[in-house]
């Protein structure tokens, strides 16, 4: 489905890529290896990214220490290309941290996204990475178990799952390889789900459209007002519905600009706001008239952290920074955050 379709880079993907670059640097330094500090060249660096990459580095070093307890010379690989094309044609991935050791092969994956909580249990991506690592280094170590760790700090999620090498290979040969072959040949079934948001075909895929349009056929009771149970049935579908609708809109706009005609629609100019053509000239004109054109404000936390450096920022300002409560959001029961209690929050604010 994705063949010939361009996967468009999103700002979130770039932010994730920057976070990975920072994590790679910090882990390499923690391992005592040479690495250049990439912070200056990151587009999205901020305090949260600095904290998340510190936490990831601590977690990674704990895994390295753990491997050292059962293997004297573990192989520690950072941002390692893992080729699992033996099972999935032409496929490879990049392991954020791979620890190859006797008994246990550990795969650590850093996830900077907030949209979807990612679990390690039954996670095919993690299993594929493990296969790649086992295929390359399994002959050097006596690996019996694979330990897959997802570290997703912005969702307070550390998810760890283990699988024996025998079960992993049975899954790879019995399930993964046949399905991958089908997909590679353009065969098999399209199964729409949460994973579609990462797919280059997400705006044009019929299976995804049909799944989302099923909601329109949802059988509601006759009463004029929706019951809580009916809203509860709709809620789990809404995020995907909104995401799909926005994917279709974005795709249609880019196609329409390129000349595709959608009956009943045309491309028009959106709302625009006035702006200065020359800021220096504006400032001078206002000053000459006897006014101060500048609006002095304290820089934001991200900008000040960049200016002062994290350590100096902490020394000078740690007592003057607080983290207010986030505004309440509806989340599924499975969400790991504690339930919001409006009364507790009101009192703790006081
Ligand atoms: S079902 Fe989802 S993942 Fe599969 S091709 Fe369609 S959009 Fe992509």
């Amino acid at each position: 489905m994705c063949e010939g379709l361009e996967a468009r880079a999103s700002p979130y993907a770039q932010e994730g890529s920057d976070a990975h670059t920072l994590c790679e640097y910090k882990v390499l330094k923690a391992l005592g290896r040479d690495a250049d500090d990439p912070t200056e060249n990151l587009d999205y660096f901020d305090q949260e990214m600095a904290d998340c990459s510190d936490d990831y580095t601590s977690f990674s070093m704990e895994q390295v220490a753990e491997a050292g307890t059962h293997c004297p010379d573990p192989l520690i690989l950072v941002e390692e290309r893992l080729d699992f094309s033996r099972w999935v044609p032409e496929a490879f991935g990049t392991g954020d941290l791979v620890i190859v050791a006797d008994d246990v092969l550990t795969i650590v994956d850093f996830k900077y996204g907030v949209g979807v909580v990612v679990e390690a249990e039954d996670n095919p991506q993690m299993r594929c990475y493990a296969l790649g690592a086992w295929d390359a280094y399994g002959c050097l170590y006596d690996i019996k178990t694979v330990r897959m760790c997802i570290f997703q700090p912005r969702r307070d999620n550390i998810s760890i799952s283990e699988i024996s090498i025998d079960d992993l290979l049975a899954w790879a040969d019995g399930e993964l390889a046949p399905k991958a072959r089908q997909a590679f040949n353009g065969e098999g079934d399209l199964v729409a789900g949460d994973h579609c948001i990462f797919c280059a075909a997400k705006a044009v895929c019929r299976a995804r459209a049909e799944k989302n349009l099923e909601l329109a056929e949802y059988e509601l009771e006759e009463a004029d007002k929706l019951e809580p149970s009916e809203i509860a049935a709709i809620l789990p579908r809404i995020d995907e519905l909104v995401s799909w609708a926005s994917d279709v809109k974005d795709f249609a706009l880019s196609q329409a600009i390129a000349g595709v005609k959608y009956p009943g629609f045309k491309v028009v100019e959106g709302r625009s706001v006035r702006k200065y053509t020359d800021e220096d000239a504006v400032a001078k004109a206002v000053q000459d008239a006897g006014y101060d054109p500048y609006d002095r404000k304290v820089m934001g936390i991200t900008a000040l952290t960049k200016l002062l450096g994290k350590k100096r920022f902490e020394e000078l300002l740690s007592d003057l920074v607080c983290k207010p409560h986030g505004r309440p959001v509806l989340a599924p029961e499975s969400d790991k955050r504690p339930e919001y209690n409006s009364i507790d929050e009101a009192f703790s604010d006081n």
Side-chain angles (χ1 to χ4, degrees), residues 38-316:
T39 312
E40 263 186 12
N41 301 319
L42 301 178
D43 292 331
Y44 286 92
F45 175 75
D46 61 9
Q47 187 58 46
E48 185 179 28
M49 192 180 284
D51 292 344
C52 288
S53 51
D54 282 345
D55 293 347
Y56 167 75
T57 304
S58 302
F59 178 78
S60 296
M61 296 315 290
E62 282 167 20
Q63 308 313 307
V64 171
E66 159 68 22
T69 62
H70 51 83
C71 177
D73 55 348
L75 179 63
I76 299 160
L77 306 161
V78 178
E79 287 291 308
E80 177 76 1
R81 181 184 162 106
L82 301 169
D83 183 320
F84 46 96
S85 56
R86 190 203 282 209
W87 297 273
V88 182
E90 298 181 13
F92 68 91
T94 305
D96 295 332
L97 175 69
V98 179
I99 306 168
V100 195
D102 287 331
D103 294 334
V104 183
L105 163 68
T106 304
I107 309 283
V108 182
D109 199 36
F110 175 77
K111 302 276 186 207
Y112 199 57
V114 281
V116 180
V117 175
V118 188
E119 302 291 349
E121 185 84 27
D122 296 329
N123 183 314
Q125 181 200 5
M126 296 298 282
R127 289 185 175 190
C128 287
Y129 286 14
L131 287 167
W134 177 82
D135 201 23
Y137 302 106
C139 57
L140 303 176
Y141 291 82
D142 181 21
I143 300 167
K144 298 190 184 80
T145 303
V146 173
R147 191 161 180 267
M148 298 165 289
C149 313
I150 297 212
F151 189 86
Q152 190 176 17
R154 292 163 96 196
R155 293 301 299 264
D156 295 326
N157 176 36
I158 296 177
S159 177
I160 297 176
S161 173
E162 292 192 358
I163 186 171
S164 71
I165 279 290
D166 291 346
D167 287 350
L168 178 69
L169 293 175
W171 170 79
D173 294 333
E175 192 172 334
L176 174 66
K179 282 185 183 168
R181 229 179 355 257
Q182 276 190 316
F184 195 74
N185 294 333
E187 300 161 358
D189 300 322
L190 299 174
V191 183
D194 294 344
H195 49 271
C196 293
I197 56 171
F198 304 109
C199 176
K202 62 187 177 183
V204 293
C205 175
R206 185 172 300 279
R208 189 181 185 214
E210 283 174 354
K211 180 155 184 182
N212 278 292
L213 290 171
E214 272 171 20
L215 189 59
E217 289 158 24
Y218 180 76
E219 283 189 21
L220 301 170
E221 299 291 326
E222 292 286 303
D224 291 339
K225 282 189 184 160
L226 292 176
E227 295 294 327
S229 62
E230 292 175 292
I231 292 176
I234 294 169
L235 280 174
R237 306 286 304 276
I238 285 185
D239 286 349
E240 165 60 9
L241 188 66
V242 170
S243 153
W244 169 70
S246 142
D247 291 338
V248 173
K249 264 180 98 171
D250 290 350
F251 176 80
L253 175 61
S254 66
Q255 292 293 293
I257 290 170
V260 174
K261 289 279 175 218
Y262 293 101
F265 285 85
K266 63 183 177 183
V267 179
V268 295
E269 265 193 25
R271 201 177 82 84
S272 81
V273 289
R274 294 180 304 158
K275 62 176 194 174
Y276 299 128
T277 53
D278 181 340
E279 277 202 12
D280 291 339
V282 169
K284 183 169 183 316
V286 175
Q287 276 169 331
D288 289 350
Y291 299 96
D292 179 3
Y294 294 106
D295 180 15
R296 272 166 57 85
K297 281 202 302 191
V298 176
M299 289 162 75
I301 290 178
T302 306
L304 268 182
T305 307
K306 265 189 181 168
L307 179 74
L308 301 172
K310 189 178 164 193
K311 201 162 159 254
R312 191 80 181 115
F313 181 95
E314 290 292 326
E315 284 167 7
L316 288 175

